[in-house]
Amino acid sequence: GAVVSQHPSRVICKSGTSVKIECRSLDFQATTMFWYRQFPKQSLMLMATSNEGSKATYEQGVEKDKFLINHASLTLSTLTVTSAHPEDSSFYICSARGHGNQPQHFGDGTRLSIL
Amino acid sequence: KNEVEQSPQNLTAQEGEFITINCSYSVGISALHWLQQHPGGGIVSLFMLSSGKKKHGRLIATINIQEKHSSLHITASHPRDSAVYICAVDNNDMRFGAGTRLTVKP
């Protein structure tokens, strides 16, 4: 089945650091990638949707200058948390969808802890 | 009202018991996913359904499109099944249920 690889799985860093998370589709072309955030004991919340080669569409309340999303190729999207602060500590998950009405496939997630 | 409602919110069972988790949704969908999230946070996709029933090992998932309802069943539950189970519906955007926290005691 389709595999989505997310890296790194865990990041611990100091406040003020920028952190990049990668999401790769390993065996299919992901025309659309999604980035989700999960706070403790809460469900997944969509942050943004990115289509290859175009700017990401951000959900209401998500700061696009804070969470930079790049989807430069059909197999890679990156989420950069700029100047991260402790309140950005969360679990971030990506998913990817191929052409047409293909289902979404999820990455394993990245646990970000900002000290 | 949430577009995806899961029940129960929490479930504790004894090893060996038959488990049912329910999901109701109010939007049109192209597919419904059952996801498993272990304490470390990683998401495992258990099933993707658009109709009928699927079985994988001790797990069974059913969906009734007309009634907008899906169930996830676990037979002969085991402590390693302890996790959060999330129902998600795909209608171009994903909508997630709040999750069901399952604890299976030995």
mmCIF file of all heavy atoms in Angstrom, chain A residues 71-90:
data_model
loop_
_atom_site.group_PDB
_atom_site.id
_atom_site.type_symbol
_atom_site.label_atom_id
_atom_site.label_comp_id
_atom_site.label_asym_id
_atom_site.label_seq_id
_atom_site.Cartn_x
_atom_site.Cartn_y
_atom_site.Cartn_z
ATOM 1 N N HIS A 71 5.628 22.831 -0.992
ATOM 2 C CA HIS A 71 5.292 21.573 -1.672
ATOM 3 C C HIS A 71 5.886 21.648 -3.063
ATOM 4 O O HIS A 71 5.168 21.782 -4.056
ATOM 5 C CB HIS A 71 3.767 21.419 -1.705
ATOM 6 C CG HIS A 71 3.298 20.071 -2.147
ATOM 7 N ND1 HIS A 71 1.979 19.689 -2.030
ATOM 8 C CD2 HIS A 71 3.935 19.019 -2.705
ATOM 9 C CE1 HIS A 71 1.835 18.461 -2.502
ATOM 10 N NE2 HIS A 71 2.996 18.040 -2.909
ATOM 11 N N ALA A 72 7.216 21.564 -3.105
ATOM 12 C CA ALA A 72 7.938 21.852 -4.341
ATOM 13 C C ALA A 72 7.928 20.703 -5.336
ATOM 14 O O ALA A 72 8.191 20.900 -6.517
ATOM 15 C CB ALA A 72 9.379 22.227 -4.012
ATOM 16 N N SER A 73 7.660 19.493 -4.862
ATOM 17 C CA SER A 73 7.649 18.362 -5.785
ATOM 18 C C SER A 73 6.457 17.472 -5.468
ATOM 19 O O SER A 73 5.780 17.656 -4.456
ATOM 20 C CB SER A 73 8.943 17.560 -5.667
ATOM 21 O OG SER A 73 8.915 16.728 -4.518
ATOM 22 N N LEU A 74 6.226 16.500 -6.331
ATOM 23 C CA LEU A 74 5.077 15.612 -6.158
ATOM 24 C C LEU A 74 5.295 14.558 -5.081
ATOM 25 O O LEU A 74 4.411 13.748 -4.821
ATOM 26 C CB LEU A 74 4.746 14.922 -7.491
ATOM 27 C CG LEU A 74 4.018 15.805 -8.492
ATOM 28 C CD1 LEU A 74 3.938 15.121 -9.857
ATOM 29 C CD2 LEU A 74 2.610 16.146 -8.012
ATOM 30 N N THR A 75 6.466 14.569 -4.473
ATOM 31 C CA THR A 75 6.723 13.576 -3.427
ATOM 32 C C THR A 75 7.172 14.195 -2.112
ATOM 33 O O THR A 75 7.432 13.467 -1.154
ATOM 34 C CB THR A 75 7.794 12.565 -3.882
ATOM 35 O OG1 THR A 75 9.000 13.274 -4.181
ATOM 36 C CG2 THR A 75 7.331 11.774 -5.096
ATOM 37 N N LEU A 76 7.262 15.508 -2.032
ATOM 38 C CA LEU A 76 7.797 16.121 -0.822
ATOM 39 C C LEU A 76 7.081 17.409 -0.476
ATOM 40 O O LEU A 76 6.896 18.293 -1.308
ATOM 41 C CB LEU A 76 9.294 16.404 -0.999
ATOM 42 C CG LEU A 76 9.989 17.179 0.137
ATOM 43 C CD1 LEU A 76 9.991 16.361 1.419
ATOM 44 C CD2 LEU A 76 11.403 17.564 -0.263
ATOM 45 N N SER A 77 6.664 17.485 0.774
ATOM 46 C CA SER A 77 6.181 18.739 1.339
ATOM 47 C C SER A 77 6.905 18.961 2.654
ATOM 48 O O SER A 77 7.215 18.002 3.370
ATOM 49 C CB SER A 77 4.663 18.690 1.577
ATOM 50 O OG SER A 77 4.197 19.877 2.201
ATOM 51 N N THR A 78 7.188 20.207 2.964
ATOM 52 C CA THR A 78 7.842 20.523 4.231
ATOM 53 C C THR A 78 7.028 21.548 5.002
ATOM 54 O O THR A 78 6.398 22.434 4.415
ATOM 55 C CB THR A 78 9.268 21.065 4.027
ATOM 56 O OG1 THR A 78 9.205 22.260 3.247
ATOM 57 C CG2 THR A 78 10.147 20.036 3.326
ATOM 58 N N LEU A 79 7.041 21.383 6.306
ATOM 59 C CA LEU A 79 6.441 22.343 7.226
ATOM 60 C C LEU A 79 7.562 22.894 8.088
ATOM 61 O O LEU A 79 8.271 22.121 8.740
ATOM 62 C CB LEU A 79 5.390 21.664 8.102
ATOM 63 C CG LEU A 79 4.898 22.457 9.322
ATOM 64 C CD1 LEU A 79 4.111 23.687 8.887
ATOM 65 C CD2 LEU A 79 4.031 21.572 10.219
ATOM 66 N N THR A 80 7.747 24.199 8.052
ATOM 67 C CA THR A 80 8.756 24.829 8.894
ATOM 68 C C THR A 80 8.068 25.673 9.949
ATOM 69 O O THR A 80 7.304 26.588 9.605
ATOM 70 C CB THR A 80 9.712 25.699 8.058
ATOM 71 O OG1 THR A 80 10.352 24.884 7.063
ATOM 72 C CG2 THR A 80 10.777 26.331 8.939
ATOM 73 N N VAL A 81 8.321 25.342 11.188
ATOM 74 C CA VAL A 81 7.810 26.136 12.310
ATOM 75 C C VAL A 81 8.880 27.167 12.620
ATOM 76 O O VAL A 81 9.967 26.823 13.090
ATOM 77 C CB VAL A 81 7.529 25.253 13.538
ATOM 78 C CG1 VAL A 81 6.916 26.086 14.656
ATOM 79 C CG2 VAL A 81 6.613 24.096 13.159
ATOM 80 N N THR A 82 8.604 28.408 12.307
ATOM 81 C CA THR A 82 9.619 29.445 12.452
ATOM 82 C C THR A 82 9.606 30.030 13.858
ATOM 83 O O THR A 82 8.548 30.210 14.461
ATOM 84 C CB THR A 82 9.399 30.565 11.432
ATOM 85 O OG1 THR A 82 8.118 31.168 11.674
ATOM 86 C CG2 THR A 82 9.443 30.032 10.011
ATOM 87 N N SER A 83 10.808 30.284 14.368
ATOM 88 C CA SER A 83 10.963 30.883 15.688
ATOM 89 C C SER A 83 9.997 30.236 16.685
ATOM 90 O O SER A 83 9.124 30.895 17.265
ATOM 91 C CB SER A 83 10.706 32.390 15.611
ATOM 92 O OG SER A 83 11.009 33.014 16.841
ATOM 93 N N ALA A 84 10.167 28.930 16.828
ATOM 94 C CA ALA A 84 9.229 28.152 17.636
ATOM 95 C C ALA A 84 9.254 28.572 19.101
ATOM 96 O O ALA A 84 10.315 28.913 19.647
ATOM 97 C CB ALA A 84 9.556 26.669 17.511
ATOM 98 N N HIS A 85 8.085 28.535 19.717
ATOM 99 C CA HIS A 85 7.945 28.828 21.132
ATOM 100 C C HIS A 85 7.250 27.662 21.824
ATOM 101 O O HIS A 85 6.661 26.801 21.153
ATOM 102 C CB HIS A 85 7.143 30.128 21.313
ATOM 103 C CG HIS A 85 7.912 31.345 20.938
ATOM 104 N ND1 HIS A 85 7.909 31.863 19.664
ATOM 105 C CD2 HIS A 85 8.738 32.137 21.657
ATOM 106 C CE1 HIS A 85 8.690 32.918 19.619
ATOM 107 N NE2 HIS A 85 9.214 33.111 20.809
ATOM 108 N N PRO A 86 7.313 27.612 23.144
ATOM 109 C CA PRO A 86 6.720 26.469 23.853
ATOM 110 C C PRO A 86 5.273 26.190 23.469
ATOM 111 O O PRO A 86 4.866 25.024 23.428
ATOM 112 C CB PRO A 86 6.841 26.889 25.328
ATOM 113 C CG PRO A 86 8.094 27.709 25.360
ATOM 114 C CD PRO A 86 8.075 28.486 24.059
ATOM 115 N N GLU A 87 4.501 27.206 23.145
ATOM 116 C CA GLU A 87 3.099 26.962 22.772
ATOM 117 C C GLU A 87 2.967 26.264 21.420
ATOM 118 O O GLU A 87 1.864 25.808 21.057
ATOM 119 C CB GLU A 87 2.297 28.272 22.762
ATOM 120 C CG GLU A 87 2.808 29.328 21.820
ATOM 121 C CD GLU A 87 3.742 30.316 22.493
ATOM 122 O OE1 GLU A 87 4.414 29.940 23.480
ATOM 123 O OE2 GLU A 87 3.812 31.463 22.015
ATOM 124 N N ASP A 88 4.062 26.201 20.670
ATOM 125 C CA ASP A 88 4.049 25.462 19.407
ATOM 126 C C ASP A 88 4.284 23.966 19.623
ATOM 127 O O ASP A 88 4.176 23.176 18.670
ATOM 128 C CB ASP A 88 5.113 26.005 18.448
ATOM 129 C CG ASP A 88 4.886 27.456 18.094
ATOM 130 O OD1 ASP A 88 3.715 27.850 17.938
ATOM 131 O OD2 ASP A 88 5.885 28.212 17.996
ATOM 132 N N SER A 89 4.625 23.608 20.840
ATOM 133 C CA SER A 89 4.833 22.189 21.147
ATOM 134 C C SER A 89 3.536 21.430 20.876
ATOM 135 O O SER A 89 2.481 21.796 21.385
ATOM 136 C CB SER A 89 5.245 22.007 22.611
ATOM 137 O OG SER A 89 6.463 22.669 22.875
ATOM 138 N N SER A 90 3.644 20.405 20.074
ATOM 139 C CA SER A 90 2.443 19.691 19.646
ATOM 140 C C SER A 90 2.860 18.469 18.840
ATOM 141 O O SER A 90 4.048 18.208 18.652
ATOM 142 C CB SER A 90 1.570 20.610 18.785
ATOM 143 O OG SER A 90 0.296 20.044 18.548
#
